[in-house]
Amino acid sequence: MLSAHQLGCRRGSRQILGGIDLEMRPGEVLGVLGANGAGKTTLLSTLAGELPASEGRLELDGRALSGWTPAELARRRAVLPQSPSLGFDLSVHDVVAMGAYPFPEIAPDAHEALLRRALREADACALADRRYLGLSGGEQQRVQFARVLAQVLGARQAQQYRALLLDEPTSSLDPRHQLLLLRTVQALARAEGIAALVVLHDVNLAAQWCDRLLLLARGRSVAQGTPAEVLTPQALQQVYELPVSVLPHPLHAHAPLVVFGV
């Protein structure tokens, strides 16, 4: 399991994160919420091993994350950054195939089956023969999502822990594909035992699709727990500095409905 205890991170002399406790549990989706500058992306990058922790403990399967090599980490966790960039005009197939690079042992037939599944799960099959740089921003986002799915699904050793970390994956997607992406993340977490962390801005999407939420403000945890436990008027007003009403959701009994500015 990927876990953090009193995790802190600095960038230069600035303390960006401090005192963060969390566990990424197999089969669950953990949503991270907060205003701009709250430390969401820094938290994800630290959990991914891309930024060093300045304090506290950060462990994967009981071993310090700093002790894992990049190649080892690539086989255990997949990361979708906030703004993935690609300067080469590759085919969509080749971009998705990058996700399978950590697994050279996969046989050719199984490799192609993995890529087809990743494209299908990301609703990107129709894009497979296109050139990546010719796609719209939303289409590129779906292809990048397929790439990380190929990576996290490529690690199929029995009982092996796998983590999927997604930074604002819905930001350039239309409403249909926002729902499809989050539904896919939740379904794969359940079916495959994947531990998923999703940074989101839409609190209502987070309430609907995440099992637990972490609410951040100025690099500190304001609340952590189920959506009903975290999305309270007091906590939301503290984080977003807006009037807010929290209502019963008319369609989803487990998820509160948050309305800002009321």
Side-chain angles (χ1 to χ4, degrees):
M1 185 185 303
L2 184 58
S3 62
H5 177 67
Q6 293 297 294
L7 181 68
C9 183
R10 290 181 177 274
R11 291 194 176 190
S13 61
R14 291 183 59 220
Q15 180 84 31
I16 307 298
L17 293 173
I20 302 296
D21 293 320
L22 65 81
E23 292 180 340
M24 287 185 60
R25 303 168 186 166
E28 285 192 356
V29 181
L30 172 63
V32 179
L33 297 170
N36 291 336
K40 302 183 297 297
T41 292
T42 297
L43 174 61
L44 184 143
S45 297
T46 306
L47 293 173
E50 296 171 351
L51 289 176
S54 60
E55 57 193 51
R57 296 198 314 271
L58 179 57
E59 298 176 338
L60 175 57
D61 287 350
R63 174 180 158 197
L65 194 70
S66 58
W68 292 74
T69 68
E72 288 175 326
L73 282 178
R75 295 176 66 92
R76 302 298 298 278
R77 61 96 179 97
V79 183
L80 180 62
Q82 186 176 126
S83 300
S85 60
L86 181 64
F88 301 100
D89 191 19
L90 300 175
S91 70
V92 165
H93 178 277
D94 288 345
V95 173
V96 178
M98 291 178 180
Y101 283 179
F103 310 100
E105 71 275 12
I106 298 178
D109 288 349
H111 179 272
E112 288 305 312
L114 172 65
L115 302 190
R116 287 194 300 270
R117 180 183 179 189
L119 285 162
R120 184 174 66 252
E121 297 282 7
D123 193 35
C125 290
L127 307 175
D129 296 327
R130 303 265 305 271
R131 308 300 295 183
Y132 180 81
L133 294 183
L135 302 178
S136 71
E139 290 170 334
Q140 289 183 355
Q141 186 77 349
R142 284 152 56 196
V143 171
Q144 292 288 350
F145 181 50
R147 175 184 61 79
V148 297
L149 289 183
Q151 184 177 353
V152 78
L153 292 172
R156 294 303 300 272
Q157 294 182 21
Q159 306 302 314
Q160 179 171 272
Y161 177 88
R162 293 167 290 169
L164 179 64
L165 300 104
L166 309 172
D167 194 355
E168 296 188 32
T170 62
S171 60
S172 60
L173 300 181
D174 58 55
R176 174 175 176 267
H177 284 101
Q178 289 180 8
L179 293 176
L180 284 175
L181 184 145
L182 292 171
R183 181 182 294 132
T184 296
V185 172
Q186 186 187 75
L188 288 177
R190 302 279 196 273
E192 299 280 345
I194 293 167
L197 182 145
V198 187
V199 172
L200 293 168
H201 274 298
D202 190 318
V203 296
N204 288 308
L205 282 178
Q208 182 178 349
W209 295 105
C210 298
D211 300 293
R212 292 182 297 121
L213 299 176
L214 170 63
L215 188 59
L216 294 178
R218 295 175 290 279
R220 297 277 176 171
S221 173
V222 172
Q224 185 174 177
T226 67
E229 291 169 339
V230 170
L231 299 178
T232 66
Q234 295 80 6
L236 292 167
Q237 288 171 2
Q238 177 183 345
V239 169
Y240 295 105
E241 299 179 357
L242 281 172
V244 61
S245 293
V246 180
L247 311 170
H249 200 291
L251 300 178
H252 306 288
H254 70 284
L257 178 65
V258 177
V259 182
F260 286 105
V262 177

